Amino acid sequence: MSHDQASCLELLARGAAVEAYDRPVLLARASGADAETLAGLEQAKQLALRVRAELEGRRRREAELSALFETAHDLSGLRDLDAVLRAIVQRARSLLGTEVAYLSRGGTP
């Protein structure tokens, strides 16, 4: 593994933005790297980006499961239907990052 390819792993390890993964390829191209080196860097970049996407997906699912567990825990202690509905709306606002949310209770009480 070349130093330039290792830089893709370093970017991955520190959670760099997607745009940063182009830098090693651009620097190698600017320094006149041969086609084989550029192809290796491009492959390393693509693999690193796939791993990054997978890690982001796992983090998101972990956060969603954690929120679901917390919500279930919070709701398990509530007995009043209105309090349960308020808690659901509050949690939805928090998860969605919105200022306003509402839940309509239809049917007969």
Side-chain angles (χ1 to χ4, degrees):
M1 176 184 308
S2 74
H3 171 71
D4 291 331
Q5 288 173 325
S7 66
C8 287
L9 290 176
E10 291 169 11
L11 292 168
L12 186 61
R14 69 172 193 245
V18 171
E19 301 79 29
Y21 289 83
D22 287 326
R23 184 173 165 80
V25 177
L26 295 173
L27 289 174
R29 187 172 290 130
S31 69
D34 59 58
E36 184 178 339
T37 299
L38 291 173
L41 280 171
E42 188 62 37
Q43 182 181 18
K45 177 185 111 174
Q46 294 303 321
L47 287 171
L49 288 172
R50 283 189 3 219
V51 170
R52 183 183 185 281
E54 179 66 28
L55 289 172
E56 282 182 359
R58 288 178 188 221
R59 282 187 205 113
R60 187 185 70 249
R61 285 188 297 278
E62 182 180 314
E64 290 167 351
L65 287 173
S66 178
L68 179 61
F69 176 77
E70 290 172 12
T71 300
H73 182 267
D74 291 347
L75 295 177
S76 68
L78 301 175
R79 299 290 175 241
D80 176 52
L81 180 59
D82 286 331
V84 169
L85 295 176
R86 279 192 302 276
I88 289 170
V89 169
Q90 179 59 37
R91 184 68 66 166
R93 285 181 53 215
S94 174
L95 290 172
L96 296 172
T98 63
E99 294 288 324
V100 177
Y102 70 93
L103 179 66
S104 176
R105 182 171 67 157
T108 56

